[in-house]
Amino acid sequence: MKQSRMLIPTLKEAPSDAEAISHQMLVRGGYIYQVSAGVWAYLPLAQRILAKINRLIRQQMDKYDGVEMTAPILLPADLWQKSGRYESYGDNLFKLEDRKKRPFLLGPTHEETFTTIVRDSLKSYKKLPLLLYQITDKFRDEERPRFGLLRGKEFIMWDGYSFTVDREGLDVEYDHMAKALRAIFDEVGLNYKVILADSGTIGGKGSQEFSAPAAIGEDTIVYTDGGYAANLEKATSKFTEKQQLGKPGELTKKGTPGAHSVDEAAESLEIDADQILKAMVYIAKDGQDESPVMVLMRGNDEVNEVKLTDVLDVDSVRLANDEEIAAVLPAHAGSLGPVGTAGKLKVIADQHIKGMVNMACGANEDGYHYINANFDRDFTVDQFADVRNVKEGEIGPDGFPLKFTNGIEVGHIFKLGTLYSRAFKAQVLNKQGKATDIVMGCYGIGVSRLLSAIAEQNNDDRGLIWPTSIAPFDVHVIPVNVKNDEQMKMANEITAALEDEGYEVLIDDRKERAGVKFADSDLIGLPLRITVGKKAKDGIVEIKLRRTGETIEVKQEEVVNNVHILLKQAASDQQQKD
Ligand code: ATP
Ligand code: MG
């Protein structure tokens, strides 16, 4: 392919708003073009990578009898009203109307669509299992679209849906998809972790996320050297109750004027933040019911809202606002505590405060705290539970210390069970001829996000370094001086010889200075570069490996053989790196 006929608008400078390296490099390398915030055009080089990723995905789907189809992107609102997600999905849902003012939405995911199609297309268990998938654009009105393709309003997702007659069948399909995703992420050269994920209140026991460690990642991955990995919402640590020593002192109210935070209160009371009970009021929502709950934990622990939601067994929780607090307690956030709350609201305490004595806590009076507050004598707790975020260094469930890293969620697999089939009455007749709810799993890969995640992990200060399996071309051929007939002829011959062997070659036939060509070549980041320069007259060219910077000089007739060996080597270096 001639570079002069491509569209590769490379830039010297990164856009000023580009925080992520992948965002900077993909824009500078002429891979992507921003049409609007979070809305991107995939320019020809990115298009080639996407095609390769999609090919690898399809190969894995073939292996597990997945079948491809396409659902519409434009969906009638009633489809989503039926599942309840037209309301519950929130502001991320793109809503629109047709000319007759009928409400529609742009699909952010397709559980509803596929459940309906399958319901209406088959009646007997004999047609199951069925694994359907598509690779299409999804739409989410993200509050903060950013980091280039990592968080877009329109993005490409592979989404798969499995349909089985029972849970055992689901386990098989789920296991297949777990294997398929591992294979896909291995093949694209991604460094990733498979982590236990929160399955929310949907109640499925299985949910795993595939997360690519990267500084820019928006998720916190908690892992150990023993192989445990979970996202922060789900991560647990070993808990052993510590009985504090000391005789209960006298409950005493102290002025803590101007102390709003735990640290300010600790300073004012001249005690450790860990000796303070942080009290937060949450509103727990279950169906139409809303009720206030007080959550207690050590001063420097953080509430984990996902765990809290699970412990309370409700649909969702959120922090109470001033008015909601005022409705139950006569103080503002910062002066709240459990003393005197009996009968007013439920109190949930993190397990780590079990066994503590002489705690300090807000006095439910602005500007005052108690010291020497003690369980049972001064207040009671309805339930002790794990409702806090774990911390780095704590001992994980497998006995190894917890480590933290940031990660980019690139894939997610999920045992849905019968949640959607029940809502849509998607049933089949089982072996006994009895109507039974179809059991479902859903699976997703952020394809465009994956491209960016790979870029985020594979670059240096000069540009991108694509893994060989997905690089837009295998080889970049650079005639240094296109006006030199000898160089041009040789570059063309080498390109043709490589293409004959099935390699994909980009030849830089532009009338640019050598420095510009080399800089662009580094930026674009193809695995191998062949420079045809002054030594062309002796029949010699230089081959350079983008990842290592290693160069070798070879004769023209040895180029194909060397490319073969070097690309293989580059591919295996890549695998070893992981
Ligand atoms: P996130 O927590 O990052 O918002 P999610 O958990 O809401 O993602 P899923 O509903 O699990 O996303 O979607 C499946 C996959 O689609 C995700 O694993 C991710 O790779 C990708 N994805 C989700 N939202 C976006 C987005 N705004 N831009 C690009 N890819 C996305
Ligand atoms: Mg997800």
Side-chain angles (χ1 to χ4, degrees):
M1 178 84 216
K2 293 193 190 91
Q3 199 161 336
S4 63
R5 298 300 305 263
M6 284 286 283
L7 176 66
I8 311 176
T10 54
L11 300 172
K12 281 219 172 64
E13 299 289 332
S16 58
D17 65 332
E19 294 165 72
I21 295 171
S22 57
H23 181 181
Q24 297 168 12
M25 294 289 185
L26 289 170
V27 172
R28 282 189 56 214
Y31 280 82
I32 56 174
Y33 175 88
Q34 184 173 302
V35 176
S36 164
V39 181
W40 293 88
Y42 309 107
L43 300 179
L45 287 178
Q47 186 67 32
R48 294 179 74 96
I49 297 180
L50 292 172
K52 290 187 184 183
I53 296 175
N54 290 345
R55 194 183 311 149
L56 293 170
I57 292 176
R58 290 188 174 107
Q59 274 168 12
Q60 287 300 317
M61 289 307 108
D62 287 348
K63 201 164 163 181
Y64 297 108
D65 300 317
V67 279
E68 186 168 10
M69 56 169 280
T70 303
I73 282 166
L74 186 63
L75 301 171
D78 61 2
L79 188 65
W80 274 57
Q81 276 153 354
K82 210 167 276 170
S83 68
R85 286 209 289 184
Y86 194 65
E87 306 304 330
S88 71
Y89 205 82
D91 292 336
N92 269 15
L93 198 59
F94 265 109
K95 296 177 176 174
L96 64 163
E97 286 179 342
D98 72 0
R99 61 170 77 202
K100 292 188 177 138
K101 303 273 177 254
R102 281 182 301 218
F104 281 82
L105 60 102
L106 301 178
T109 172
H110 284 270
E111 285 75 13
E112 287 82 353
T113 328
F114 278 80
T115 308
T116 315
I117 293 169
V118 168
R119 176 197 63 197
D120 294 344
S121 307
L122 52 93
K123 298 275 169 282
S124 162
Y125 78 95
K126 288 180 190 151
K127 287 296 297 171
L128 302 180
L130 188 61
L131 176 66
L132 300 175
Y133 76 90
Q134 61 175 351
I135 304 175
T136 57
D137 278 2
K138 306 294 186 286
F139 294 80
R140 295 183 186 181
D141 193 0
E142 297 278 355
E143 189 177 10
R144 295 188 67 196
R146 57 190 179 147
F147 303 145
L149 305 183
L150 289 178
R151 189 169 292 285
K153 285 184 180 247
E154 175 178 352
F155 59 96
I156 304 171
M157 194 204 291
W158 161 81
D159 45 329
Y161 305 87
S162 68
F163 302 86
T164 50
V165 72
D166 53 25
R167 283 253 157 204
E168 290 69 41
L170 169 60
D171 290 346
V172 172
E173 298 300 311
Y174 181 88
D175 185 50
H176 284 170
M177 289 304 96
K179 288 201 177 93
L181 263 67
R182 277 174 192 270
I184 292 160
F185 295 132
D186 283 341
E187 281 173 20
V188 300
L190 190 76
N191 171 20
Y192 66 95
K193 288 187 187 300
V194 186
I195 61 180
L196 296 172
D198 166 54
S199 43
T201 49
I202 299 182
K205 260 210 215 79
S207 173
Q208 283 172 306
E209 279 172 11
F210 294 74
S211 189
I216 200 81
E218 295 181 276
D219 301 331
T220 302
I221 310 175
V222 180
Y223 67 100
T224 70
D225 290 341
Y228 173 77
N231 63 21
L232 187 59
E233 282 77 50
K234 185 93 179 168
T236 55
S237 55
K238 279 206 168 143
F239 169 68
T240 39
E241 189 179 327
K242 287 190 201 81
Q243 192 65 44
Q244 281 186 354
L245 300 173
K247 272 227 282 296
E250 191 183 336
L251 182 70
T252 312
K253 200 190 278 182
K254 294 245 179 184
T256 48
H260 297 296
S261 68
V262 166
D263 286 341
E264 286 162 355
E267 202 183 313
S268 171
L269 296 167
E270 297 182 340
I271 55 170
D272 243 21
D274 258 357
Q275 200 59 26
I276 292 198
L277 286 187
K278 180 154 81 177
M280 329 256 286
V281 176
Y282 275 85
I283 300 295
K285 195 168 181 220
D286 202 29
Q288 295 303 315
D289 295 344
E290 289 199 328
S291 52
V293 179
M294 179 175 279
V295 182
L296 298 176
M297 57 188 48
R298 291 178 303 189
N300 43 27
D301 280 340
E302 298 292 336
V303 178
N304 180 314
E305 295 185 359
V306 170
K307 290 182 185 176
L308 181 62
T309 309
D310 284 350
V311 165
L312 293 170
D313 195 17
V314 293
D315 294 340
S316 63
V317 297
R318 60 172 173 81
L319 268 177
N321 60 32
D322 285 350
E323 277 167 29
E324 289 163 334
I325 294 173
V328 275
L329 296 170
H332 289 88
S335 299
L336 303 176
V339 179
T341 57
K344 291 183 178 159
L345 78 182
K346 192 171 191 176
V347 178
I348 301 281
D350 182 71
Q351 55 190 4
H352 283 80
I353 66 170
K354 249 190 209 170
M356 279 172 72
V357 294
N358 295 334
M359 296 160 271
C361 60
N364 293 323
E365 184 176 339
D366 284 347
Y368 288 92
H369 276 71
Y370 282 120
I371 56 166
N372 299 330
N374 285 286
F375 290 119
D376 300 331
R377 186 192 72 183
D378 304 319
F379 65 94
T380 54
V381 163
D382 291 296
Q383 190 183 351
F384 286 97
D386 175 13
V387 288
R388 72 192 261 283
N389 286 335
V390 296
K391 290 186 180 161
E392 214 160 354
E394 288 173 7
I395 301 304
D398 62 357
F400 288 85
L402 297 179
K403 296 181 180 179
F404 279 27
T405 183
N406 292 337
I408 301 167
E409 182 192 323
V410 287
H412 194 170
I413 60 175
F414 203 103
K415 290 184 184 174
L416 277 174
T418 54
L419 187 80
Y420 287 89
S421 46
R422 259 185 283 139
F424 286 90
K425 300 202 168 45
Q427 298 190 317
V428 284
L429 294 178
N430 66 13
K431 243 187 193 144
Q432 289 75 38
K434 205 171 140 245
T436 176
D437 296 331
I438 300 176
V439 180
M440 291 174 58
C442 67
Y443 317 98
I445 296 176
V447 175
S448 46
R449 179 182 284 187
L450 176 59
L451 183 154
S452 269
I454 299 166
E456 194 67 34
Q457 290 182 343
N458 293 276
N459 60 74
D460 62 15
D461 53 1
R462 286 174 294 131
L464 295 157
I465 306 174
W466 292 110
T468 50
S469 57
I470 52 135
F473 293 90
D474 301 309
V475 183
H476 208 170
V477 172
I478 305 203
V480 173
N481 178 2
V482 294
K483 285 184 200 137
N484 179 312
D485 290 341
E486 203 168 29
Q487 286 184 22
M488 240 2 246
K489 180 167 169 281
M490 193 185 237
N492 282 327
E493 283 171 7
I494 288 171
T495 301
L498 288 170
E499 285 177 346
D500 276 352
E501 290 297 313
Y503 293 109
E504 295 174 350
V505 184
L506 181 67
I507 174 169
D508 192 350
D509 58 338
R510 298 173 305 160
K511 293 187 187 80
E512 291 284 359
R513 283 186 295 113
V516 171
K517 290 187 175 192
F518 290 141
D520 277 354
S521 175
D522 283 340
L523 191 53
I524 290 169
L526 304 180
L528 294 185
R529 176 204 294 175
I530 301 180
T531 306
V532 185
K534 286 205 177 91
K535 289 192 178 166
K537 61 179 186 315
D538 310 318
I540 290 174
V541 299
E542 181 199 84
I543 308 183
K544 184 173 184 181
L545 278 90
R546 175 67 183 91
R547 192 174 290 277
T548 62
E550 221 176 305
T551 59
I552 52 165
E553 289 193 340
V554 300
K555 291 220 173 79
Q556 181 178 352
E557 51 279 14
E558 289 164 5
V559 166
V560 173
N561 200 22
N562 274 281
V563 164
H564 183 69
I565 293 164
L566 291 171
L567 278 176
K568 261 203 170 155
Q569 185 191 319
S572 79
D573 284 355
Q574 179 58 40
Q575 267 148 30
Q576 273 161 28
K577 194 197 102 206
D578 300 338

Short mmCIF file of all heavy atoms in Angstrom, two decimals, residues 111 114 130-132 159-164 170 173-174 177 206 413-418 438-444:
data_model
loop_
_atom_site.label_atom_id
_atom_site.label_comp_id
_atom_site.label_asym_id
_atom_site.label_seq_id
_atom_site.Cartn_x
_atom_site.Cartn_y
_atom_site.Cartn_z
N GLU A 111 -29.40 -6.79 25.77
CA GLU A 111 -30.07 -7.93 26.41
C GLU A 111 -31.55 -8.01 26.00
O GLU A 111 -32.06 -9.08 25.67
CB GLU A 111 -29.97 -7.82 27.95
CG GLU A 111 -28.61 -8.16 28.53
CD GLU A 111 -27.58 -7.06 28.30
OE1 GLU A 111 -27.97 -5.92 27.91
OE2 GLU A 111 -26.38 -7.32 28.48
N PHE A 114 -31.99 -9.12 22.16
CA PHE A 114 -31.70 -10.53 21.87
C PHE A 114 -32.69 -11.46 22.57
O PHE A 114 -33.08 -12.49 22.02
CB PHE A 114 -30.25 -10.86 22.23
CG PHE A 114 -29.29 -10.46 21.15
CD1 PHE A 114 -28.87 -9.14 21.01
CD2 PHE A 114 -28.80 -11.39 20.24
CE1 PHE A 114 -27.99 -8.76 20.00
CE2 PHE A 114 -27.93 -11.03 19.23
CZ PHE A 114 -27.53 -9.71 19.11
N LEU A 130 -27.75 -21.84 22.42
CA LEU A 130 -27.57 -20.91 21.32
C LEU A 130 -26.67 -19.77 21.81
O LEU A 130 -26.87 -19.25 22.91
CB LEU A 130 -28.95 -20.36 20.92
CG LEU A 130 -29.05 -19.50 19.67
CD1 LEU A 130 -28.64 -20.27 18.42
CD2 LEU A 130 -30.49 -19.01 19.50
N LEU A 131 -25.67 -19.45 21.00
CA LEU A 131 -24.77 -18.35 21.36
C LEU A 131 -24.75 -17.37 20.21
O LEU A 131 -24.24 -17.67 19.13
CB LEU A 131 -23.36 -18.90 21.62
CG LEU A 131 -22.27 -17.86 21.91
CD1 LEU A 131 -22.52 -17.13 23.21
CD2 LEU A 131 -20.89 -18.53 21.94
N LEU A 132 -25.38 -16.22 20.41
CA LEU A 132 -25.47 -15.21 19.36
C LEU A 132 -24.54 -14.05 19.70
O LEU A 132 -24.35 -13.73 20.87
CB LEU A 132 -26.91 -14.67 19.27
CG LEU A 132 -27.99 -15.70 18.97
CD1 LEU A 132 -29.37 -15.05 19.04
CD2 LEU A 132 -27.77 -16.32 17.58
N ASP A 159 -20.75 -7.92 21.53
CA ASP A 159 -21.61 -8.40 22.60
C ASP A 159 -22.20 -9.75 22.22
O ASP A 159 -22.68 -9.95 21.12
CB ASP A 159 -22.72 -7.40 22.98
CG ASP A 159 -23.43 -6.75 21.81
OD1 ASP A 159 -22.80 -6.57 20.74
OD2 ASP A 159 -24.63 -6.44 21.94
N GLY A 160 -22.10 -10.67 23.16
CA GLY A 160 -22.58 -12.03 22.95
C GLY A 160 -23.63 -12.37 24.00
O GLY A 160 -23.60 -11.84 25.11
N TYR A 161 -24.55 -13.24 23.61
CA TYR A 161 -25.64 -13.64 24.52
C TYR A 161 -25.83 -15.14 24.37
O TYR A 161 -25.99 -15.65 23.26
CB TYR A 161 -26.94 -12.91 24.13
CG TYR A 161 -26.73 -11.41 24.10
CD1 TYR A 161 -26.26 -10.77 22.94
CD2 TYR A 161 -26.94 -10.64 25.24
CE1 TYR A 161 -26.01 -9.41 22.91
CE2 TYR A 161 -26.69 -9.27 25.23
CZ TYR A 161 -26.23 -8.65 24.06
OH TYR A 161 -25.97 -7.30 24.06
N SER A 162 -25.79 -15.84 25.51
CA SER A 162 -26.01 -17.29 25.43
C SER A 162 -27.38 -17.63 25.99
O SER A 162 -27.87 -16.99 26.93
CB SER A 162 -24.91 -18.05 26.18
OG SER A 162 -25.00 -17.82 27.56
N PHE A 163 -27.99 -18.66 25.39
CA PHE A 163 -29.33 -19.10 25.78
C PHE A 163 -29.27 -20.61 26.00
O PHE A 163 -28.88 -21.35 25.10
CB PHE A 163 -30.34 -18.77 24.67
CG PHE A 163 -30.38 -17.30 24.35
CD1 PHE A 163 -29.48 -16.74 23.44
CD2 PHE A 163 -31.29 -16.46 24.98
CE1 PHE A 163 -29.49 -15.37 23.17
CE2 PHE A 163 -31.31 -15.10 24.72
CZ PHE A 163 -30.41 -14.55 23.81
N THR A 164 -29.62 -21.01 27.21
CA THR A 164 -29.56 -22.44 27.53
C THR A 164 -30.82 -22.81 28.31
O THR A 164 -31.51 -21.93 28.83
CB THR A 164 -28.31 -22.76 28.38
OG1 THR A 164 -28.25 -21.84 29.49
CG2 THR A 164 -27.04 -22.62 27.57
N LEU A 170 -25.68 -22.97 31.11
CA LEU A 170 -25.10 -21.63 31.22
C LEU A 170 -23.64 -21.71 31.67
O LEU A 170 -22.77 -21.03 31.12
CB LEU A 170 -25.90 -20.78 32.22
CG LEU A 170 -25.27 -19.44 32.63
CD1 LEU A 170 -25.05 -18.53 31.43
CD2 LEU A 170 -26.13 -18.73 33.68
N GLU A 173 -21.47 -22.47 28.70
CA GLU A 173 -21.30 -21.34 27.77
C GLU A 173 -20.41 -20.26 28.40
O GLU A 173 -19.56 -19.67 27.74
CB GLU A 173 -22.67 -20.74 27.39
CG GLU A 173 -23.60 -21.70 26.67
CD GLU A 173 -23.03 -22.21 25.35
OE1 GLU A 173 -22.56 -21.39 24.55
OE2 GLU A 173 -23.06 -23.44 25.13
N TYR A 174 -20.65 -20.01 29.67
CA TYR A 174 -19.89 -18.98 30.38
C TYR A 174 -18.40 -19.35 30.40
O TYR A 174 -17.53 -18.52 30.15
CB TYR A 174 -20.43 -18.86 31.80
CG TYR A 174 -19.76 -17.83 32.68
CD1 TYR A 174 -20.19 -16.50 32.68
CD2 TYR A 174 -18.69 -18.17 33.52
CE1 TYR A 174 -19.59 -15.55 33.50
CE2 TYR A 174 -18.08 -17.22 34.33
CZ TYR A 174 -18.54 -15.92 34.33
OH TYR A 174 -17.94 -14.99 35.13
N MET A 177 -16.91 -18.72 27.06
CA MET A 177 -16.63 -17.30 26.80
C MET A 177 -15.44 -16.81 27.62
O MET A 177 -14.65 -15.99 27.16
CB MET A 177 -17.88 -16.45 27.07
CG MET A 177 -18.99 -16.64 26.05
SD MET A 177 -18.47 -16.32 24.33
CE MET A 177 -18.10 -17.96 23.77
N GLY A 206 -21.99 -15.47 38.87
CA GLY A 206 -20.76 -15.34 38.11
C GLY A 206 -20.65 -14.03 37.37
O GLY A 206 -21.55 -13.64 36.63
N ILE A 413 -17.88 -10.58 31.48
CA ILE A 413 -18.78 -11.70 31.21
C ILE A 413 -19.65 -11.92 32.44
O ILE A 413 -19.21 -11.69 33.56
CB ILE A 413 -18.03 -12.98 30.80
CG1 ILE A 413 -17.06 -13.42 31.91
CG2 ILE A 413 -17.27 -12.77 29.50
CD1 ILE A 413 -16.39 -14.76 31.62
N PHE A 414 -20.85 -12.37 32.20
CA PHE A 414 -21.88 -12.24 33.22
C PHE A 414 -22.91 -13.34 33.12
O PHE A 414 -23.47 -13.58 32.05
CB PHE A 414 -22.55 -10.88 32.93
CG PHE A 414 -23.23 -10.28 34.10
CD1 PHE A 414 -22.63 -9.24 34.79
CD2 PHE A 414 -24.46 -10.75 34.50
CE1 PHE A 414 -23.27 -8.68 35.88
CE2 PHE A 414 -25.09 -10.19 35.59
CZ PHE A 414 -24.51 -9.15 36.29
N LYS A 415 -23.16 -14.03 34.24
CA LYS A 415 -24.26 -15.01 34.24
C LYS A 415 -25.56 -14.29 34.59
O LYS A 415 -25.78 -13.91 35.74
CB LYS A 415 -23.98 -16.10 35.28
CG LYS A 415 -22.83 -17.02 34.89
CD LYS A 415 -22.66 -18.14 35.89
CE LYS A 415 -21.45 -18.98 35.53
NZ LYS A 415 -21.15 -20.00 36.54
N LEU A 416 -26.38 -14.10 33.61
CA LEU A 416 -27.62 -13.34 33.83
C LEU A 416 -28.71 -14.18 34.49
O LEU A 416 -29.58 -13.65 35.18
CB LEU A 416 -28.18 -12.86 32.49
CG LEU A 416 -27.62 -11.58 31.90
CD1 LEU A 416 -28.20 -11.39 30.52
CD2 LEU A 416 -27.94 -10.39 32.78
N GLY A 417 -28.70 -15.47 34.21
CA GLY A 417 -29.79 -16.31 34.73
C GLY A 417 -31.07 -16.02 33.96
O GLY A 417 -31.08 -15.91 32.74
N THR A 418 -32.18 -15.86 34.71
CA THR A 418 -33.48 -15.71 34.04
C THR A 418 -34.04 -14.30 34.16
O THR A 418 -35.22 -14.08 33.92
CB THR A 418 -34.49 -16.70 34.64
OG1 THR A 418 -34.52 -16.50 36.07
CG2 THR A 418 -34.10 -18.14 34.36
N ILE A 438 -35.85 -19.43 29.82
CA ILE A 438 -34.53 -19.63 29.22
C ILE A 438 -33.47 -19.01 30.14
O ILE A 438 -33.69 -17.95 30.73
CB ILE A 438 -34.46 -18.97 27.82
CG1 ILE A 438 -35.50 -19.60 26.90
CG2 ILE A 438 -33.07 -19.11 27.22
CD1 ILE A 438 -35.58 -18.97 25.53
N VAL A 439 -32.34 -19.69 30.28
CA VAL A 439 -31.26 -19.20 31.15
C VAL A 439 -30.22 -18.50 30.27
O VAL A 439 -29.78 -19.05 29.27
CB VAL A 439 -30.63 -20.37 31.93
CG1 VAL A 439 -29.50 -19.87 32.83
CG2 VAL A 439 -31.69 -21.09 32.75
N MET A 440 -29.87 -17.28 30.67
CA MET A 440 -29.01 -16.47 29.79
C MET A 440 -27.68 -16.06 30.41
O MET A 440 -27.55 -15.94 31.63
CB MET A 440 -29.75 -15.17 29.40
CG MET A 440 -30.93 -15.39 28.48
SD MET A 440 -31.85 -13.85 28.22
CE MET A 440 -30.57 -12.79 27.55
N GLY A 441 -26.71 -15.83 29.53
CA GLY A 441 -25.45 -15.21 29.93
C GLY A 441 -25.21 -14.07 28.96
O GLY A 441 -25.69 -14.11 27.82
N CYS A 442 -24.49 -13.04 29.39
CA CYS A 442 -24.14 -11.98 28.43
C CYS A 442 -22.65 -11.66 28.57
O CYS A 442 -22.07 -11.79 29.65
CB CYS A 442 -25.01 -10.75 28.59
SG CYS A 442 -24.76 -9.89 30.13
N TYR A 443 -22.07 -11.25 27.46
CA TYR A 443 -20.62 -11.16 27.36
C TYR A 443 -20.27 -9.94 26.51
O TYR A 443 -20.94 -9.70 25.50
CB TYR A 443 -20.08 -12.44 26.70
CG TYR A 443 -20.75 -13.70 27.24
CD1 TYR A 443 -21.81 -14.31 26.56
CD2 TYR A 443 -20.36 -14.23 28.46
CE1 TYR A 443 -22.45 -15.43 27.08
CE2 TYR A 443 -20.99 -15.35 28.99
CZ TYR A 443 -22.04 -15.95 28.30
OH TYR A 443 -22.67 -17.04 28.83
N GLY A 444 -19.26 -9.19 26.90
CA GLY A 444 -18.93 -7.99 26.11
C GLY A 444 -17.45 -7.70 26.07
O GLY A 444 -16.73 -7.92 27.05
#
